[in-house]
């Protein structure tokens, strides 16, 4: 008599126990290009340590190329629990202005399960950042989020992260411990003439690990964006405001640093094929500060082709 073997999924279904859903995942590749400019007041440090303004601005501008690879894998752990593993590598190079070069890598592993009418997630989050080709910062954080999805209306999410920022070499003075809390609300068709409305807001507290009060800060930010489908494309505009308050002054004869940051962006996205999109965007951002050393303006115009699987 020939022996037969029943697949596990079939066996559990026959016994009246629903089979766990299979693991799922997505992968995306972004290819971008454009131009950007960063400008700030021209300042020199005199021999006695005083900041001196010089007529004109210092500018860094040039074209850039950008490649982003990102992926998410969702793995059931049994019952209603699952693990979401996500990774991202973002590489931006600027041959004309190497100081604008940037690289970002992240890895998250979040365990999720139903809680309180939504989904609760908790797990580690790791990041590494390079600026101008040099290793700049490592971030390690405990990530907690709660999300409620309303299929016809959108979703609401709350996120909290407790983490550490660590730096290499001469940047070690910037080491800090950070607590951040934020919320995100996505609304579908909130008005007949609008397809989507997003609202984000958050607060952040950073305490310098070396005890430097001038590098410890509190900040709060909010962002709103809207999009509409028109003429075969999705058009969107957004605005962000952020305020930051530092605990102490950098110099004895100056006030404690206060920053005011605002960002405006606009984009149009065209779907070329399923999971194939082309996006054109423009960004204008400005930071004003009580310490002119930190004032700057940033502009970007770029185009991105996204391929998804």
């Amino acid at each position: 008599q020939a022996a037969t073997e029943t697949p596990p999924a079939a066996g559990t279904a026959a016994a009246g126990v629903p089979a766990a859903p299979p693991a799922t995942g997505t992968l995306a590749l972004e290819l971008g290009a454009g131009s950007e400019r960063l400008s700030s007041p021209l300042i020199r440090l005199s021999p006695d340590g005083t900041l001196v303004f010089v007529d004109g601005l210092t500018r860094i501008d040039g074209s850039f190329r950008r490649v982003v690879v990102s992926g998410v894998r969702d793995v059931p752990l049994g019952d209603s629990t699952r693990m979401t593993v996500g990774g991202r590598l973002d590489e931006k190079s600027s041959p004309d202005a190497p100081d604008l070069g940037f690289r970002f890598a992240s890895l998250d592993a979040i365990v999720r399960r139903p809680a309180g009418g939504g989904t609760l997630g908790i797990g580690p989050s790791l990041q590494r950042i390079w600026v101008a080709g040099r290793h700049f910062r490592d971030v390690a954080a405990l990530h907690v989020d709660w999300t409620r999805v309303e299929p016809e209306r959108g979703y609401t999410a709350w996120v909290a992260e407790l983490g550490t920022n660590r730096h290499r070499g001469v940047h070690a003075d910037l080491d800090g411990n950070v607590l951040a809390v934020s919320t995100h609300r996505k609304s579908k068709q909130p008005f007949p003439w609008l397809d989507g409305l997003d609202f984000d807001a958050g607060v952040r507290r950073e305490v310098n690990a070396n005890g430097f009060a001038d590098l410890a800060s509190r900040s709060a930010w909010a962002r709103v964006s809207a999009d509409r489908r028109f003429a075969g494309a999705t058009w969107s505009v957004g605005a962000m405001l952020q305020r930051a308050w530092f605990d102490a002054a950098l110099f004895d004869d100056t006030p404690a640093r206060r920053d005011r940051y605002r960002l405006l962006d606009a984009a149009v996205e065209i779907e070329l094929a399923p999971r194939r999109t082309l996006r054109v965007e423009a960004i204008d951002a400005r930071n004003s500060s009580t310490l002119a050393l930190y004032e700057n303006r940033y502009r970007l115009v770029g185009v991105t082709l996204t391929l998804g699987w």
Side-chain angles (χ1 to χ4, degrees):
Q1 181 179 353
T4 60
E5 183 174 338
T6 304
T12 54
V17 179
T24 59
T26 61
L27 180 66
L29 172 65
E30 300 175 35
L31 304 173
S35 64
E36 57 186 338
R37 168 180 289 185
L38 178 66
S39 60
S40 58
L42 194 56
I43 298 174
R44 295 288 185 267
L45 191 65
S46 69
D48 63 359
T50 303
L51 291 178
V52 178
F53 283 91
V54 180
D55 289 340
L57 296 173
T58 177
R59 292 187 177 92
I60 305 175
D61 59 75
S63 60
F64 69 86
R65 298 185 294 268
R66 188 176 185 183
V67 178
V68 182
V69 180
S70 61
V72 176
R73 184 73 171 174
D74 193 76
V75 182
L77 298 180
D79 298 330
S80 301
T81 305
R82 68 185 194 275
M83 174 177 285
T84 302
V85 179
R88 180 182 178 90
L89 179 61
D90 186 337
E91 174 87 33
K92 180 167 71 68
S93 60
S94 179
D96 303 326
D99 287 346
L100 292 174
F102 179 83
R103 184 186 304 151
F104 172 87
S106 68
L107 180 64
D108 308 288
I110 311 299
V111 176
R112 303 186 186 279
R113 63 176 297 113
T119 301
L120 178 67
I122 183 170
S125 176
L126 303 174
Q127 299 175 7
R128 174 163 287 188
I129 300 170
W130 295 260
V131 177
R134 298 180 181 90
H135 179 195
F136 176 65
R137 172 179 291 174
D138 289 325
V139 180
L142 175 64
H143 174 103
V144 181
D145 65 55
W146 181 83
T147 305
R148 172 181 288 172
V149 178
E150 302 169 89
E152 301 301 321
R153 300 178 59 185
Y155 66 87
T156 302
W158 289 87
V159 179
E161 288 191 336
L162 179 63
T164 61
N165 296 338
R166 295 294 180 261
H167 305 77
R168 291 285 185 89
V170 296
H171 300 295
D173 287 353
L174 300 175
D175 289 356
N177 303 313
V178 179
L179 173 62
V181 179
S182 62
T183 183
H184 177 76
R185 172 63 188 174
K186 171 72 173 181
S187 300
K188 292 182 179 180
Q189 297 184 318
F191 307 104
W193 43 271
L194 203 60
D195 292 318
L197 183 67
D198 291 78
F199 175 77
D200 302 81
V203 293
R204 185 176 186 271
R205 173 60 172 162
E206 179 169 353
V207 178
N208 186 264
N210 301 296
F212 299 131
D214 59 292
L215 297 176
S217 65
R218 295 168 290 124
S219 61
W221 59 273
R223 183 179 189 276
V224 62
S225 63
D227 60 80
R228 177 173 173 76
R229 184 77 179 169
F230 176 73
T234 299
W235 304 76
S236 62
V237 294
M240 174 184 173
L241 296 174
Q242 178 175 287
R243 295 292 302 272
W245 302 265
F246 288 76
D247 291 4
L250 177 60
F251 303 106
D252 292 337
D253 58 346
T254 61
R257 179 182 166 190
R258 302 286 187 268
D259 284 11
R260 299 178 302 279
Y261 177 82
R262 65 94 174 142
L263 181 146
L264 303 173
D265 63 89
V268 56
E269 186 171 280
I270 302 172
E271 185 176 13
L272 305 176
R275 302 184 66 79
R276 303 288 188 269
T277 62
L278 185 68
R279 177 183 176 89
V280 180
E281 64 180 336
I283 296 173
D284 184 280
R286 182 190 294 271
N287 189 67
S288 301
S289 178
T290 53
L291 194 58
L293 180 65
Y294 297 101
E295 293 192 346
N296 59 72
R297 186 169 189 178
Y298 176 77
R299 291 177 173 175
L300 176 146
V301 176
V303 58
T304 302
L305 173 66
T306 301
L307 311 174
W309 294 272

